[in-house]
Amino acid sequence: MANANVRVRFCPSPTGNPHVGLVRTALFNWAFARHTGGTMVLRIEDTDAARDSEESYEQLLDSLRWLGLDWDEGPEVGGPHAPYRQSQRMDTYADVAGRLQAAGHAYHCYCTAEELEVRREAARAAGRPSGYDGQCRDLTAEQRAAYEAEGRTSIVRFRMPDEPITFTDLVRGELTFTPENVPDYGIVRANGAPLYTLVNPVDDALMGITHVLRGEDLLSSTPRQIALYKALIELGVAKEVPSFGHLPYVMGEGNKKLSKRDPQSSLNLYRERGFLPEGLLNYLSLLGWSFSADQDVFSVAELVEKFDIADVNANPARFDLKKAEAINADHIRRLDVAAFAEACGPWLRAPYANWAPEQFDPAAWEAIAPYAQTRLTVLSDITANVDFLFLAEPVEDEASWTKAMKPGAAELLTTAREKLAAADWSSADSLKEAVLAAGEAHGLKLGKAQAPVRVAVTGRTVGLPLFESLEILGRERTLTRIDAALTKLAAAA
Ligand code: GLU
Ligand code: ZN
């Protein structure tokens, strides 16, 4: 569906660290904009000075860039509706709030929190709807003056229409909200600060947003926003009510909603573990959408080609870490070797690398990279898989040592050393033959014979294909490490 008129927005509040749910929202908006040839707007909803932070803002932009989710209008790129940070648009909101009041769409409410609570309780007890009861809807000038003389402060409330509000959600179809369930709501605080309920739809209107795609948690604010939108149309601020599509909840462990506070939901975690951006995007796109019945690994270009908001599923999506990893692994395999070697870069340096920079051997890295590429799930695993090539001595991993160095290990290692010393070091097959023969001499299958050799040489029981690893490490260092292991075994005996 090409439609260059499409204008979507991603409008995060810069609080805390970016999380999976937020990125899924950004991704669906972005994919829809790119699929239709429309415009992606990035707007920063930083009207809550107490919670917003500049650090969080920087992180958000950095995360979007890392993922390749670019924007056509917004911070740093500008655009016809600048500024795109709400903290810089306060005059606009004050102006609109004033016009809404002048036109009778909003009014001052002088009720105190305690009074509201008392009436709410009474309504509950009587089985009536317990939202705001409209007490200040039609105050006369005298009543207002009297309240003000008492020293009361007031918030500004939007006057909801008395009819039901119906709209067709792009994901869940037709929805109707009755007036009892959507009472008049605050749009400006007593201190004059505009609320999310006002600034979000006002900016959507001013920025010409055509499709609002956001999480299901915001569904209850949609009827309010539609009513506000209609008032804005009357005032000439908005042209038409946008379409809304609410993306399904994402469930985590134990079928509970994945929350921002869940460690699993932190975007930085995936980045630090070495997810590829395209692997993570691929997985996140499956939270509420599917590519096809028999394919769930695809490129970003394929996603863009296929993505349509109409195909998003209303049912809750389940976050499945194993599946995310499997998809990421597939994306690692899809890279060409040079791109893979490049992508591993950060984990071959401080602070991840456990070797000194001058110990790094580019030729050894180049030789081992293809073997690593077919085995890693996340890039951060590269460090432990190749450190044996760069460290002067292999890491000491007690658990691995205990597991592999069972009785008989010294005898096996002694024979393996002899056979390896005589092997052809230009061929991994010849090294395999050597260890195989050593195993046979002691009645051990290859797998069992291999384990002590692997631990002696790499320090660990699991790793990359052993014989290729030995070949790359070289004859001298391999034999020296086996000797050191034999010495250690002898000392323990
Ligand atoms: N700033 C809001 C949030 O982060 C945006 C909600 C919306 O998309 O309307 O929840
Ligand atoms: Zn009131």
Side-chain angles (χ1 to χ4, degrees), residues 9-13 22 25 29 43-45 86 196 200 204 212-215 217-218 221 225 260:
R9 77 330 189 246
F10 174 52
C11 53
S13 300
L22 197 71
T25 299
N29 277 286
R43 180 172 78 224
I44 304 298
E45 305 216 315
Q86 289 187 327
Y196 160 79
N200 177 280
D204 284 348
V212 172
L213 313 180
R214 59 184 178 187
D217 52 323
L218 292 158
S221 61
Q225 293 186 351
K260 281 186 235 199

mmCIF file with all atom_site columns, all heavy atoms in Angstrom, residues 9-13 22 25 29 43-45 86 196 200 204 212-215 217-218 221 225 260, ligand 1:
data_model
loop_
_atom_site.group_PDB
_atom_site.id
_atom_site.type_symbol
_atom_site.label_atom_id
_atom_site.label_alt_id
_atom_site.label_comp_id
_atom_site.label_asym_id
_atom_site.label_entity_id
_atom_site.label_seq_id
_atom_site.pdbx_PDB_ins_code
_atom_site.Cartn_x
_atom_site.Cartn_y
_atom_site.Cartn_z
_atom_site.occupancy
_atom_site.B_iso_or_equiv
_atom_site.pdbx_formal_charge
_atom_site.auth_seq_id
_atom_site.auth_comp_id
_atom_site.auth_asym_id
_atom_site.auth_atom_id
_atom_site.pdbx_PDB_model_num
ATOM   1   N N   . ARG A 1 9   ? 4.254  8.773  13.886 1.00 0.00 ? 9   ARG A N   1
ATOM   2   C CA  . ARG A 1 9   ? 5.205  9.345  14.829 1.00 0.00 ? 9   ARG A CA  1
ATOM   3   C C   . ARG A 1 9   ? 5.591  8.309  15.860 1.00 0.00 ? 9   ARG A C   1
ATOM   4   O O   . ARG A 1 9   ? 4.837  7.412  16.196 1.00 0.00 ? 9   ARG A O   1
ATOM   5   C CB  . ARG A 1 9   ? 4.658  10.616 15.446 1.00 0.00 ? 9   ARG A CB  1
ATOM   6   C CG  . ARG A 1 9   ? 3.608  10.602 16.551 1.00 0.00 ? 9   ARG A CG  1
ATOM   7   C CD  . ARG A 1 9   ? 2.638  9.553  16.635 1.00 0.00 ? 9   ARG A CD  1
ATOM   8   N NE  . ARG A 1 9   ? 1.613  9.832  17.629 1.00 0.00 ? 9   ARG A NE  1
ATOM   9   C CZ  . ARG A 1 9   ? 1.426  9.139  18.762 1.00 0.00 ? 9   ARG A CZ  1
ATOM   10  N NH1 . ARG A 1 9   ? 2.161  8.083  19.022 1.00 0.00 ? 9   ARG A NH1 1
ATOM   11  N NH2 . ARG A 1 9   ? 0.473  9.476  19.602 1.00 0.00 ? 9   ARG A NH2 1
ATOM   12  N N   . PHE A 1 10  ? 6.828  8.461  16.316 1.00 0.00 ? 10  PHE A N   1
ATOM   13  C CA  . PHE A 1 10  ? 7.261  7.730  17.497 1.00 0.00 ? 10  PHE A CA  1
ATOM   14  C C   . PHE A 1 10  ? 7.549  8.826  18.508 1.00 0.00 ? 10  PHE A C   1
ATOM   15  O O   . PHE A 1 10  ? 8.300  9.755  18.218 1.00 0.00 ? 10  PHE A O   1
ATOM   16  C CB  . PHE A 1 10  ? 8.510  6.912  17.171 1.00 0.00 ? 10  PHE A CB  1
ATOM   17  C CG  . PHE A 1 10  ? 9.113  6.244  18.380 1.00 0.00 ? 10  PHE A CG  1
ATOM   18  C CD1 . PHE A 1 10  ? 8.338  5.468  19.215 1.00 0.00 ? 10  PHE A CD1 1
ATOM   19  C CD2 . PHE A 1 10  ? 10.465 6.393  18.663 1.00 0.00 ? 10  PHE A CD2 1
ATOM   20  C CE1 . PHE A 1 10  ? 8.892  4.863  20.337 1.00 0.00 ? 10  PHE A CE1 1
ATOM   21  C CE2 . PHE A 1 10  ? 11.027 5.789  19.778 1.00 0.00 ? 10  PHE A CE2 1
ATOM   22  C CZ  . PHE A 1 10  ? 10.239 5.021  20.626 1.00 0.00 ? 10  PHE A CZ  1
ATOM   23  N N   . CYS A 1 11  ? 6.893  8.733  19.675 1.00 0.00 ? 11  CYS A N   1
ATOM   24  C CA  . CYS A 1 11  ? 6.994  9.881  20.586 1.00 0.00 ? 11  CYS A CA  1
ATOM   25  C C   . CYS A 1 11  ? 7.286  9.443  22.013 1.00 0.00 ? 11  CYS A C   1
ATOM   26  O O   . CYS A 1 11  ? 6.450  9.552  22.897 1.00 0.00 ? 11  CYS A O   1
ATOM   27  C CB  . CYS A 1 11  ? 5.741  10.738 20.501 1.00 0.00 ? 11  CYS A CB  1
ATOM   28  S SG  . CYS A 1 11  ? 4.204  9.843  20.743 1.00 0.00 ? 11  CYS A SG  1
ATOM   29  N N   . PRO A 1 12  ? 8.494  8.959  22.236 1.00 0.00 ? 12  PRO A N   1
ATOM   30  C CA  . PRO A 1 12  ? 8.849  8.478  23.568 1.00 0.00 ? 12  PRO A CA  1
ATOM   31  C C   . PRO A 1 12  ? 9.047  9.619  24.558 1.00 0.00 ? 12  PRO A C   1
ATOM   32  O O   . PRO A 1 12  ? 9.345  10.742 24.173 1.00 0.00 ? 12  PRO A O   1
ATOM   33  C CB  . PRO A 1 12  ? 10.196 7.792  23.321 1.00 0.00 ? 12  PRO A CB  1
ATOM   34  C CG  . PRO A 1 12  ? 10.788 8.545  22.167 1.00 0.00 ? 12  PRO A CG  1
ATOM   35  C CD  . PRO A 1 12  ? 9.619  8.912  21.290 1.00 0.00 ? 12  PRO A CD  1
ATOM   36  N N   . SER A 1 13  ? 8.860  9.278  25.826 1.00 0.00 ? 13  SER A N   1
ATOM   37  C CA  . SER A 1 13  ? 9.261  10.180 26.898 1.00 0.00 ? 13  SER A CA  1
ATOM   38  C C   . SER A 1 13  ? 10.653 9.753  27.337 1.00 0.00 ? 13  SER A C   1
ATOM   39  O O   . SER A 1 13  ? 10.889 8.566  27.528 1.00 0.00 ? 13  SER A O   1
ATOM   40  C CB  . SER A 1 13  ? 8.306  10.063 28.085 1.00 0.00 ? 13  SER A CB  1
ATOM   41  O OG  . SER A 1 13  ? 7.011  10.399 27.668 1.00 0.00 ? 13  SER A OG  1
ATOM   42  N N   . LEU A 1 22  ? 9.076  -0.384 23.848 1.00 0.00 ? 22  LEU A N   1
ATOM   43  C CA  . LEU A 1 22  ? 9.253  0.916  23.207 1.00 0.00 ? 22  LEU A CA  1
ATOM   44  C C   . LEU A 1 22  ? 9.826  0.742  21.803 1.00 0.00 ? 22  LEU A C   1
ATOM   45  O O   . LEU A 1 22  ? 9.365  1.352  20.843 1.00 0.00 ? 22  LEU A O   1
ATOM   46  C CB  . LEU A 1 22  ? 10.221 1.739  24.064 1.00 0.00 ? 22  LEU A CB  1
ATOM   47  C CG  . LEU A 1 22  ? 10.247 3.231  23.835 1.00 0.00 ? 22  LEU A CG  1
ATOM   48  C CD1 . LEU A 1 22  ? 8.963  3.839  24.380 1.00 0.00 ? 22  LEU A CD1 1
ATOM   49  C CD2 . LEU A 1 22  ? 11.454 3.849  24.545 1.00 0.00 ? 22  LEU A CD2 1
ATOM   50  N N   . THR A 1 25  ? 7.316  -0.515 19.326 1.00 0.00 ? 25  THR A N   1
ATOM   51  C CA  . THR A 1 25  ? 6.460  0.572  18.836 1.00 0.00 ? 25  THR A CA  1
ATOM   52  C C   . THR A 1 25  ? 7.188  1.406  17.775 1.00 0.00 ? 25  THR A C   1
ATOM   53  O O   . THR A 1 25  ? 6.628  1.721  16.725 1.00 0.00 ? 25  THR A O   1
ATOM   54  C CB  . THR A 1 25  ? 6.021  1.484  20.003 1.00 0.00 ? 25  THR A CB  1
ATOM   55  O OG1 . THR A 1 25  ? 5.265  0.692  20.927 1.00 0.00 ? 25  THR A OG1 1
ATOM   56  C CG2 . THR A 1 25  ? 5.178  2.630  19.525 1.00 0.00 ? 25  THR A CG2 1
ATOM   57  N N   . ASN A 1 29  ? 6.035  1.628  13.682 1.00 0.00 ? 29  ASN A N   1
ATOM   58  C CA  . ASN A 1 29  ? 5.807  2.919  13.036 1.00 0.00 ? 29  ASN A CA  1
ATOM   59  C C   . ASN A 1 29  ? 6.759  3.120  11.865 1.00 0.00 ? 29  ASN A C   1
ATOM   60  O O   . ASN A 1 29  ? 6.371  3.531  10.780 1.00 0.00 ? 29  ASN A O   1
ATOM   61  C CB  . ASN A 1 29  ? 5.972  4.059  14.048 1.00 0.00 ? 29  ASN A CB  1
ATOM   62  C CG  . ASN A 1 29  ? 4.712  4.280  14.872 1.00 0.00 ? 29  ASN A CG  1
ATOM   63  O OD1 . ASN A 1 29  ? 3.723  4.820  14.377 1.00 0.00 ? 29  ASN A OD1 1
ATOM   64  N ND2 . ASN A 1 29  ? 4.725  3.836  16.119 1.00 0.00 ? 29  ASN A ND2 1
ATOM   65  N N   . ARG A 1 43  ? 9.248  12.548 17.883 1.00 0.00 ? 43  ARG A N   1
ATOM   66  C CA  . ARG A 1 43  ? 8.922  13.666 18.766 1.00 0.00 ? 43  ARG A CA  1
ATOM   67  C C   . ARG A 1 43  ? 9.270  13.243 20.191 1.00 0.00 ? 43  ARG A C   1
ATOM   68  O O   . ARG A 1 43  ? 8.973  12.122 20.588 1.00 0.00 ? 43  ARG A O   1
ATOM   69  C CB  . ARG A 1 43  ? 7.427  13.960 18.652 1.00 0.00 ? 43  ARG A CB  1
ATOM   70  C CG  . ARG A 1 43  ? 6.972  15.113 19.529 1.00 0.00 ? 43  ARG A CG  1
ATOM   71  C CD  . ARG A 1 43  ? 5.533  15.480 19.228 1.00 0.00 ? 43  ARG A CD  1
ATOM   72  N NE  . ARG A 1 43  ? 4.596  14.555 19.852 1.00 0.00 ? 43  ARG A NE  1
ATOM   73  C CZ  . ARG A 1 43  ? 3.528  14.036 19.248 1.00 0.00 ? 43  ARG A CZ  1
ATOM   74  N NH1 . ARG A 1 43  ? 3.268  14.309 17.977 1.00 0.00 ? 43  ARG A NH1 1
ATOM   75  N NH2 . ARG A 1 43  ? 2.715  13.226 19.898 1.00 0.00 ? 43  ARG A NH2 1
ATOM   76  N N   . ILE A 1 44  ? 9.867  14.134 20.927 1.00 0.00 ? 44  ILE A N   1
ATOM   77  C CA  . ILE A 1 44  ? 10.274 13.798 22.291 1.00 0.00 ? 44  ILE A CA  1
ATOM   78  C C   . ILE A 1 44  ? 9.283  14.400 23.273 1.00 0.00 ? 44  ILE A C   1
ATOM   79  O O   . ILE A 1 44  ? 9.112  15.620 23.320 1.00 0.00 ? 44  ILE A O   1
ATOM   80  C CB  . ILE A 1 44  ? 11.708 14.317 22.565 1.00 0.00 ? 44  ILE A CB  1
ATOM   81  C CG1 . ILE A 1 44  ? 12.698 13.751 21.529 1.00 0.00 ? 44  ILE A CG1 1
ATOM   82  C CG2 . ILE A 1 44  ? 12.148 13.950 23.976 1.00 0.00 ? 44  ILE A CG2 1
ATOM   83  C CD1 . ILE A 1 44  ? 12.839 12.237 21.531 1.00 0.00 ? 44  ILE A CD1 1
ATOM   84  N N   . GLU A 1 45  ? 8.629  13.538 24.040 1.00 0.00 ? 45  GLU A N   1
ATOM   85  C CA  . GLU A 1 45  ? 7.591  14.002 24.970 1.00 0.00 ? 45  GLU A CA  1
ATOM   86  C C   . GLU A 1 45  ? 8.212  14.250 26.346 1.00 0.00 ? 45  GLU A C   1
ATOM   87  O O   . GLU A 1 45  ? 8.044  13.476 27.277 1.00 0.00 ? 45  GLU A O   1
ATOM   88  C CB  . GLU A 1 45  ? 6.434  13.010 24.994 1.00 0.00 ? 45  GLU A CB  1
ATOM   89  C CG  . GLU A 1 45  ? 5.906  12.776 23.579 1.00 0.00 ? 45  GLU A CG  1
ATOM   90  C CD  . GLU A 1 45  ? 4.409  12.579 23.454 1.00 0.00 ? 45  GLU A CD  1
ATOM   91  O OE1 . GLU A 1 45  ? 3.843  11.827 24.253 1.00 0.00 ? 45  GLU A OE1 1
ATOM   92  O OE2 . GLU A 1 45  ? 3.813  13.190 22.548 1.00 0.00 ? 45  GLU A OE2 1
ATOM   93  N N   . GLN A 1 86  ? 8.887  18.525 23.140 1.00 0.00 ? 86  GLN A N   1
ATOM   94  C CA  . GLN A 1 86  ? 7.734  19.214 23.709 1.00 0.00 ? 86  GLN A CA  1
ATOM   95  C C   . GLN A 1 86  ? 8.125  20.268 24.736 1.00 0.00 ? 86  GLN A C   1
ATOM   96  O O   . GLN A 1 86  ? 7.411  21.243 24.907 1.00 0.00 ? 86  GLN A O   1
ATOM   97  C CB  . GLN A 1 86  ? 6.767  18.190 24.310 1.00 0.00 ? 86  GLN A CB  1
ATOM   98  C CG  . GLN A 1 86  ? 6.081  17.391 23.206 1.00 0.00 ? 86  GLN A CG  1
ATOM   99  C CD  . GLN A 1 86  ? 5.000  16.474 23.731 1.00 0.00 ? 86  GLN A CD  1
ATOM   100 O OE1 . GLN A 1 86  ? 5.111  15.957 24.826 1.00 0.00 ? 86  GLN A OE1 1
ATOM   101 N NE2 . GLN A 1 86  ? 3.963  16.255 22.934 1.00 0.00 ? 86  GLN A NE2 1
ATOM   102 N N   . TYR A 1 196 ? 0.141  15.304 29.413 1.00 0.00 ? 196 TYR A N   1
ATOM   103 C CA  . TYR A 1 196 ? 0.227  14.401 28.260 1.00 0.00 ? 196 TYR A CA  1
ATOM   104 C C   . TYR A 1 196 ? -1.074 14.362 27.467 1.00 0.00 ? 196 TYR A C   1
ATOM   105 O O   . TYR A 1 196 ? -1.079 14.342 26.241 1.00 0.00 ? 196 TYR A O   1
ATOM   106 C CB  . TYR A 1 196 ? 0.603  12.997 28.750 1.00 0.00 ? 196 TYR A CB  1
ATOM   107 C CG  . TYR A 1 196 ? 0.273  11.896 27.775 1.00 0.00 ? 196 TYR A CG  1
ATOM   108 C CD1 . TYR A 1 196 ? 1.107  11.648 26.680 1.00 0.00 ? 196 TYR A CD1 1
ATOM   109 C CD2 . TYR A 1 196 ? -0.886 11.129 27.921 1.00 0.00 ? 196 TYR A CD2 1
ATOM   110 C CE1 . TYR A 1 196 ? 0.789  10.655 25.757 1.00 0.00 ? 196 TYR A CE1 1
ATOM   111 C CE2 . TYR A 1 196 ? -1.204 10.136 27.008 1.00 0.00 ? 196 TYR A CE2 1
ATOM   112 C CZ  . TYR A 1 196 ? -0.374 9.905  25.929 1.00 0.00 ? 196 TYR A CZ  1
ATOM   113 O OH  . TYR A 1 196 ? -0.696 8.938  25.018 1.00 0.00 ? 196 TYR A OH  1
ATOM   114 N N   . ASN A 1 200 ? -0.023 15.575 23.684 1.00 0.00 ? 200 ASN A N   1
ATOM   115 C CA  . ASN A 1 200 ? 0.141  14.489 22.725 1.00 0.00 ? 200 ASN A CA  1
ATOM   116 C C   . ASN A 1 200 ? -0.802 14.648 21.522 1.00 0.00 ? 200 ASN A C   1
ATOM   117 O O   . ASN A 1 200 ? -0.342 14.726 20.380 1.00 0.00 ? 200 ASN A O   1
ATOM   118 C CB  . ASN A 1 200 ? -0.022 13.154 23.480 1.00 0.00 ? 200 ASN A CB  1
ATOM   119 C CG  . ASN A 1 200 ? 0.063  11.942 22.599 1.00 0.00 ? 200 ASN A CG  1
ATOM   120 O OD1 . ASN A 1 200 ? -0.914 11.594 21.939 1.00 0.00 ? 200 ASN A OD1 1
ATOM   121 N ND2 . ASN A 1 200 ? 1.218  11.298 22.552 1.00 0.00 ? 200 ASN A ND2 1
ATOM   122 N N   . ASP A 1 204 ? 0.071  15.818 17.658 1.00 0.00 ? 204 ASP A N   1
ATOM   123 C CA  . ASP A 1 204 ? -0.326 14.951 16.545 1.00 0.00 ? 204 ASP A CA  1
ATOM   124 C C   . ASP A 1 204 ? -1.099 15.777 15.511 1.00 0.00 ? 204 ASP A C   1
ATOM   125 O O   . ASP A 1 204 ? -0.899 15.636 14.303 1.00 0.00 ? 204 ASP A O   1
ATOM   126 C CB  . ASP A 1 204 ? -1.193 13.780 17.038 1.00 0.00 ? 204 ASP A CB  1
ATOM   127 C CG  . ASP A 1 204 ? -0.364 12.702 17.739 1.00 0.00 ? 204 ASP A CG  1
ATOM   128 O OD1 . ASP A 1 204 ? 0.886  12.754 17.641 1.00 0.00 ? 204 ASP A OD1 1
ATOM   129 O OD2 . ASP A 1 204 ? -0.954 11.796 18.353 1.00 0.00 ? 204 ASP A OD2 1
ATOM   130 N N   . VAL A 1 212 ? -1.854 6.788  14.283 1.00 0.00 ? 212 VAL A N   1
ATOM   131 C CA  . VAL A 1 212 ? -1.252 6.695  15.613 1.00 0.00 ? 212 VAL A CA  1
ATOM   132 C C   . VAL A 1 212 ? -1.114 5.215  15.956 1.00 0.00 ? 212 VAL A C   1
ATOM   133 O O   . VAL A 1 212 ? -2.111 4.525  16.188 1.00 0.00 ? 212 VAL A O   1
ATOM   134 C CB  . VAL A 1 212 ? -2.128 7.415  16.660 1.00 0.00 ? 212 VAL A CB  1
ATOM   135 C CG1 . VAL A 1 212 ? -1.607 7.139  18.076 1.00 0.00 ? 212 VAL A CG1 1
ATOM   136 C CG2 . VAL A 1 212 ? -2.159 8.920  16.382 1.00 0.00 ? 212 VAL A CG2 1
ATOM   137 N N   . LEU A 1 213 ? 0.114  4.713  15.915 1.00 0.00 ? 213 LEU A N   1
ATOM   138 C CA  . LEU A 1 213 ? 0.364  3.301  16.232 1.00 0.00 ? 213 LEU A CA  1
ATOM   139 C C   . LEU A 1 213 ? 1.114  3.261  17.541 1.00 0.00 ? 213 LEU A C   1
ATOM   140 O O   . LEU A 1 213 ? 2.222  3.794  17.651 1.00 0.00 ? 213 LEU A O   1
ATOM   141 C CB  . LEU A 1 213 ? 1.207  2.637  15.129 1.00 0.00 ? 213 LEU A CB  1
ATOM   142 C CG  . LEU A 1 213 ? 0.753  2.911  13.696 1.00 0.00 ? 213 LEU A CG  1
ATOM   143 C CD1 . LEU A 1 213 ? 1.679  2.194  12.705 1.00 0.00 ? 213 LEU A CD1 1
ATOM   144 C CD2 . LEU A 1 213 ? -0.690 2.475  13.501 1.00 0.00 ? 213 LEU A CD2 1
ATOM   145 N N   . ARG A 1 214 ? 0.505  2.662  18.551 1.00 0.00 ? 214 ARG A N   1
ATOM   146 C CA  . ARG A 1 214 ? 1.114  2.676  19.874 1.00 0.00 ? 214 ARG A CA  1
ATOM   147 C C   . ARG A 1 214 ? 0.605  1.496  20.678 1.00 0.00 ? 214 ARG A C   1
ATOM   148 O O   . ARG A 1 214 ? -0.304 0.789  20.252 1.00 0.00 ? 214 ARG A O   1
ATOM   149 C CB  . ARG A 1 214 ? 0.785  3.986  20.581 1.00 0.00 ? 214 ARG A CB  1
ATOM   150 C CG  . ARG A 1 214 ? -0.710 4.205  20.728 1.00 0.00 ? 214 ARG A CG  1
ATOM   151 C CD  . ARG A 1 214 ? -0.986 5.564  21.335 1.00 0.00 ? 214 ARG A CD  1
ATOM   152 N NE  . ARG A 1 214 ? -2.415 5.810  21.443 1.00 0.00 ? 214 ARG A NE  1
ATOM   153 C CZ  . ARG A 1 214 ? -2.929 6.974  21.811 1.00 0.00 ? 214 ARG A CZ  1
ATOM   154 N NH1 . ARG A 1 214 ? -2.130 7.981  22.096 1.00 0.00 ? 214 ARG A NH1 1
ATOM   155 N NH2 . ARG A 1 214 ? -4.235 7.128  21.893 1.00 0.00 ? 214 ARG A NH2 1
ATOM   156 N N   . GLY A 1 215 ? 1.173  1.333  21.867 1.00 0.00 ? 215 GLY A N   1
ATOM   157 C CA  . GLY A 1 215 ? 0.858  0.173  22.685 1.00 0.00 ? 215 GLY A CA  1
ATOM   158 C C   . GLY A 1 215 ? -0.574 0.161  23.188 1.00 0.00 ? 215 GLY A C   1
ATOM   159 O O   . GLY A 1 215 ? -1.218 1.199  23.351 1.00 0.00 ? 215 GLY A O   1
ATOM   160 N N   . ASP A 1 217 ? -1.607 -0.322 26.041 1.00 0.00 ? 217 ASP A N   1
ATOM   161 C CA  . ASP A 1 217 ? -1.791 0.342  27.336 1.00 0.00 ? 217 ASP A CA  1
ATOM   162 C C   . ASP A 1 217 ? -2.366 1.749  27.168 1.00 0.00 ? 217 ASP A C   1
ATOM   163 O O   . ASP A 1 217 ? -2.884 2.317  28.118 1.00 0.00 ? 217 ASP A O   1
ATOM   164 C CB  . ASP A 1 217 ? -0.457 0.386  28.112 1.00 0.00 ? 217 ASP A CB  1
ATOM   165 C CG  . ASP A 1 217 ? 0.674  0.964  27.287 1.00 0.00 ? 217 ASP A CG  1
ATOM   166 O OD1 . ASP A 1 217 ? 0.719  0.705  26.057 1.00 0.00 ? 217 ASP A OD1 1
ATOM   167 O OD2 . ASP A 1 217 ? 1.520  1.675  27.840 1.00 0.00 ? 217 ASP A OD2 1
ATOM   168 N N   . LEU A 1 218 ? -2.282 2.308  25.971 1.00 0.00 ? 218 LEU A N   1
ATOM   169 C CA  . LEU A 1 218 ? -2.782 3.665  25.753 1.00 0.00 ? 218 LEU A CA  1
ATOM   170 C C   . LEU A 1 218 ? -4.185 3.693  25.152 1.00 0.00 ? 218 LEU A C   1
ATOM   171 O O   . LEU A 1 218 ? -4.726 4.765  24.873 1.00 0.00 ? 218 LEU A O   1
ATOM   172 C CB  . LEU A 1 218 ? -1.802 4.432  24.864 1.00 0.00 ? 218 LEU A CB  1
ATOM   173 C CG  . LEU A 1 218 ? -0.472 4.705  25.586 1.00 0.00 ? 218 LEU A CG  1
ATOM   174 C CD1 . LEU A 1 218 ? 0.652  4.951  24.608 1.00 0.00 ? 218 LEU A CD1 1
ATOM   175 C CD2 . LEU A 1 218 ? -0.633 5.866  26.557 1.00 0.00 ? 218 LEU A CD2 1
ATOM   176 N N   . SER A 1 221 ? -6.842 6.068  26.487 1.00 0.00 ? 221 SER A N   1
ATOM   177 C CA  . SER A 1 221 ? -6.766 7.512  26.242 1.00 0.00 ? 221 SER A CA  1
ATOM   178 C C   . SER A 1 221 ? -7.277 7.870  24.840 1.00 0.00 ? 221 SER A C   1
ATOM   179 O O   . SER A 1 221 ? -7.462 9.046  24.535 1.00 0.00 ? 221 SER A O   1
ATOM   180 C CB  . SER A 1 221 ? -5.350 8.041  26.470 1.00 0.00 ? 221 SER A CB  1
ATOM   181 O OG  . SER A 1 221 ? -4.449 7.436  25.607 1.00 0.00 ? 221 SER A OG  1
ATOM   182 N N   . GLN A 1 225 ? -8.841 11.395 23.334 1.00 0.00 ? 225 GLN A N   1
ATOM   183 C CA  . GLN A 1 225 ? -8.080 12.128 22.325 1.00 0.00 ? 225 GLN A CA  1
ATOM   184 C C   . GLN A 1 225 ? -8.925 12.389 21.087 1.00 0.00 ? 225 GLN A C   1
ATOM   185 O O   . GLN A 1 225 ? -8.794 13.434 20.451 1.00 0.00 ? 225 GLN A O   1
ATOM   186 C CB  . GLN A 1 225 ? -6.803 11.363 21.980 1.00 0.00 ? 225 GLN A CB  1
ATOM   187 C CG  . GLN A 1 225 ? -5.860 11.333 23.187 1.00 0.00 ? 225 GLN A CG  1
ATOM   188 C CD  . GLN A 1 225 ? -4.514 10.724 22.880 1.00 0.00 ? 225 GLN A CD  1
ATOM   189 O OE1 . GLN A 1 225 ? -4.309 10.156 21.811 1.00 0.00 ? 225 GLN A OE1 1
ATOM   190 N NE2 . GLN A 1 225 ? -3.598 10.830 23.821 1.00 0.00 ? 225 GLN A NE2 1
ATOM   191 N N   . LYS A 1 260 ? 8.781  -2.670 32.011 1.00 0.00 ? 260 LYS A N   1
ATOM   192 C CA  . LYS A 1 260 ? 10.010 -1.904 31.807 1.00 0.00 ? 260 LYS A CA  1
ATOM   193 C C   . LYS A 1 260 ? 11.082 -2.330 32.778 1.00 0.00 ? 260 LYS A C   1
ATOM   194 O O   . LYS A 1 260 ? 12.254 -2.226 32.500 1.00 0.00 ? 260 LYS A O   1
ATOM   195 C CB  . LYS A 1 260 ? 9.741  -0.429 32.093 1.00 0.00 ? 260 LYS A CB  1
ATOM   196 C CG  . LYS A 1 260 ? 9.052  0.298  30.993 1.00 0.00 ? 260 LYS A CG  1
ATOM   197 C CD  . LYS A 1 260 ? 8.998  1.775  31.355 1.00 0.00 ? 260 LYS A CD  1
ATOM   198 C CE  . LYS A 1 260 ? 7.584  2.191  31.282 1.00 0.00 ? 260 LYS A CE  1
ATOM   199 N NZ  . LYS A 1 260 ? 7.061  3.399  31.177 1.00 0.00 ? 260 LYS A NZ  1
HETATM 200 N N1  . GLU B 2 .   ? 5.015  9.686  25.389 1.00 0.00 ? 1   GLU B N1  1
HETATM 201 C C1  . GLU B 2 .   ? 4.024  8.669  25.404 1.00 0.00 ? 1   GLU B C1  1
HETATM 202 C C2  . GLU B 2 .   ? 4.596  7.409  26.024 1.00 0.00 ? 1   GLU B C2  1
HETATM 203 O O1  . GLU B 2 .   ? 5.783  7.265  26.070 1.00 0.00 ? 1   GLU B O1  1
HETATM 204 C C3  . GLU B 2 .   ? 3.552  8.427  23.984 1.00 0.00 ? 1   GLU B C3  1
HETATM 205 C C4  . GLU B 2 .   ? 2.263  7.702  23.897 1.00 0.00 ? 1   GLU B C4  1
HETATM 206 C C5  . GLU B 2 .   ? 1.670  7.731  22.507 1.00 0.00 ? 1   GLU B C5  1
HETATM 207 O O2  . GLU B 2 .   ? 2.230  7.101  21.606 1.00 0.00 ? 1   GLU B O2  1
HETATM 208 O O3  . GLU B 2 .   ? 0.666  8.384  22.324 1.00 0.00 ? 1   GLU B O3  1
HETATM 209 O O4  . GLU B 2 .   ? 3.902  6.563  26.507 1.00 0.00 ? 1   GLU B O4  1
#
